[in-house]
Amino acid sequence: TERTSLYSTLVAHLALTLPFVLGVWVIPRQALTGKTRLRILAITTPFVLLASADRILAYFIPPLYSQSELYIPDDELGWRHRPSAKPDQDRTVEINAKGLRGPDLPYAKADDEYRVVFLDDSLAFALGLDYEESFVARIERAGNAERNKGLEGVRAPPQQAPSVARALKRVAAVNMAVSGYSPWQEHLFLKREGLKYEPDLVVQCFCLDDVTVKFDVFALSPHFESLVASSPLEWSGLYRCARRVIMGRRLGTGNHADAARWADQGAPELIEAHEAEYVRRAWDGTLAGMRKLIELCRQRQTPLVVVCFPFEFQLKMNEGDDYPQRALERFCKERRVPFLDLLPAMRRDLATAGQRKPLFTDGCHLSAAGHALAAQRILEFLHREGLFPS
């Protein structure tokens, strides 16, 4: 690919400089007047300079040629799952025909169904785990176990059995989590795809990395950036520059300095430097997407709850070092959105279980035990709020 790019560049330079060479050196001097030579020079020089600028930009902005088995580009969202994908590098992942992880549900909702749409990134996606181990699948199973238990305990005449079954609805979970997504993408994805499922409840799983590296699409790995921008024109430096500017405006804040700062200093800056300008700017961009998500759910009269997942390092910090959770809680309270903070429950579990049952596989992704604990706390919360079939 790089060799093809080099050949294309040489051909382009030759095509642009040839008129200049012909006009100045090849054509006999007697055939052209001084003014004609100046006109030729004026016409050809910008093209030569443009070609030089293209090569300079190509040197500083690397091309993006990588492909993915799991993702495909999306003009609106940046990327999304490839429908029916089964990537070789992760045998635990299987994407259904609609591009989601989990069972392939029809859009039309049955009368006895209670549908819950989950929005998130790789955390709810359960990266590295089988789908059945995810808290989304666990909540669905627990809800249906409660329903079956309720049906067994109800003694109704045969003619009333269908109405009883409709009253005790079965739970159907729709996992719309996509790795790397932030609230602004979740809002668009819910509007475009999630509402087709006629959800009875939307659960927005808020990860604190929504405020850190993901507030700018170019802070993500080059893998995701390539999904946004792969093109046959990648050999051109001018194209690469234009793509970076346009996609930065469309998909994120475009602030590469902030992205680099997050990468260098890490997630603790979200707590230790929460008054810094770049942290406030990251929060502003994240909460703007949250506002749109809340407004969309209210327009559709669909209940929305926000569940906040902590970073692993927060479990061992002091009780007062939970500024991000408190900021998000105030934001939700002002908008009368039910809010669940999982940090206290995970701290209690760490204090009782210790290291025998790690809740995380890395700094922000939950283990199977972490998913089990999250499912239990979320289910209890939804019951308390009266937002789950009982």
Side-chain angles (χ1 to χ4, degrees):
T1 303
E2 291 299 332
R3 184 176 298 175
T4 302
S5 174
L6 178 61
Y7 292 158
S8 301
T9 302
L10 292 175
V11 171
H13 267 79
L14 180 61
L16 289 171
T17 56
L18 189 59
F20 179 80
V21 173
L22 289 174
V24 177
W25 300 106
V26 177
I27 299 176
R29 294 181 178 274
Q30 294 79 5
L32 297 175
T33 65
K35 290 184 177 180
T36 303
R37 292 181 184 279
L38 289 175
R39 291 193 185 99
I40 294 175
L41 188 63
I43 293 172
T44 57
T45 299
F47 289 101
V48 176
L49 293 176
L50 197 63
S52 300
D54 183 87
R55 289 304 85 209
I56 293 172
L57 290 172
Y59 178 80
F60 288 104
I61 305 176
L64 301 172
Y65 292 117
S66 62
Q67 300 296 322
S68 171
E69 294 179 296
L70 183 57
Y71 305 100
I72 56 176
D74 187 285
D75 289 339
E76 185 179 34
L77 299 169
W79 61 91
R80 58 185 171 88
H81 290 144
R82 186 185 301 276
S84 304
K86 297 180 181 179
D88 291 334
Q89 69 270 20
D90 191 348
R91 298 289 184 176
T92 65
V93 172
E94 183 173 347
I95 305 301
N96 65 37
K98 294 186 176 68
L100 306 179
R101 193 177 191 194
D104 191 355
L105 295 175
Y107 289 129
K109 182 174 62 176
D111 292 338
D112 64 341
E113 270 189 337
Y114 185 88
R115 288 191 169 178
V116 185
V117 164
F118 290 84
L119 303 173
D120 195 20
D121 58 4
S122 55
L123 193 148
F125 184 85
L127 192 69
L129 300 177
D130 291 330
Y131 178 73
E132 295 303 318
E133 294 181 289
S134 68
F135 65 80
V136 175
R138 291 173 185 271
I139 290 172
E140 181 182 80
R141 288 199 302 271
N144 288 325
E146 292 177 0
R147 175 182 185 267
N148 294 335
K149 184 177 180 180
L151 288 175
E152 292 173 359
V154 175
R155 297 180 180 179
Q159 63 273 19
Q160 295 182 6
S163 61
V164 172
R166 284 194 298 271
L168 296 174
K169 295 187 175 184
R170 57 189 175 91
V171 178
V174 183
N175 190 341
M176 297 190 64
V178 179
S179 294
Y181 270 19
S182 291
W184 68 268
Q185 288 161 304
E186 294 164 6
H187 156 253
L188 294 174
F189 200 28
L190 177 65
K191 183 177 181 180
R192 190 173 82 182
E193 183 71 14
L195 294 178
K196 295 179 183 178
Y197 288 96
E198 307 174 63
D200 298 286
L201 175 66
V202 174
V203 178
Q204 199 267 341
C205 304
F206 191 97
C207 303
L208 295 185
D209 53 359
D210 287 332
V211 193
T212 56
V213 296
K214 291 191 305 180
F215 75 95
D216 184 334
V217 69
F218 294 111
L220 295 169
S221 68
H223 171 72
F224 281 125
E225 191 178 347
S226 68
L227 293 173
V228 175
S230 293
S231 167
L233 296 176
E234 281 295 318
W235 63 268
S236 169
L238 289 170
Y239 169 80
R240 297 177 204 171
C241 181
R243 174 255 297 158
R244 181 172 286 272
V245 172
I246 292 172
M247 299 312 295
R249 290 179 179 274
R250 181 185 300 174
L251 300 178
T253 65
N255 196 317
H256 297 265
D258 286 356
R261 191 194 305 268
W262 284 122
D264 292 339
Q265 298 182 349
E269 286 293 291
L270 193 63
I271 298 172
E272 298 168 3
H274 63 266
E275 295 183 354
E277 181 183 356
Y278 69 95
V279 178
R280 292 199 302 269
R281 189 160 54 243
W283 270 108
D284 290 343
T286 304
L287 296 181
M290 292 287 291
R291 293 187 190 94
K292 293 180 180 179
L293 180 61
I294 293 170
E295 182 61 27
L296 175 62
C297 290
R298 285 187 174 158
Q299 289 175 356
R300 298 300 181 116
Q301 297 183 339
T302 303
L304 169 71
V305 301
V306 175
V307 179
C308 185
F309 290 79
F311 284 126
E312 182 184 26
F313 73 84
Q314 287 188 290
L315 303 188
K316 299 178 181 180
M317 296 181 71
N318 297 328
E319 290 292 332
D321 295 333
D322 54 359
Y323 172 81
Q325 282 82 357
R326 302 289 70 80
L328 185 60
E329 183 179 29
R330 288 193 299 271
F331 174 85
C332 292
K333 185 175 181 181
E334 291 171 358
R335 288 154 183 81
R336 301 185 302 279
V337 175
F339 173 80
L340 171 64
D341 177 14
L342 290 176
L343 178 58
M346 290 188 175
R347 278 177 171 166
R348 288 194 299 270
D349 184 85
L350 181 66
T352 56
Q355 297 299 322
R356 292 172 299 165
K357 190 176 57 174
L359 299 178
F360 288 81
T361 58
D362 57 27
C364 61
H365 292 103
L366 296 176
S367 65
H371 277 270
L373 177 62
Q376 179 184 355
R377 298 307 180 214
I378 293 172
L379 198 59
E380 293 171 354
F381 172 73
L382 295 179
H383 278 306
R384 289 198 305 270
E385 294 291 329
L387 295 172
F388 207 73
S390 176

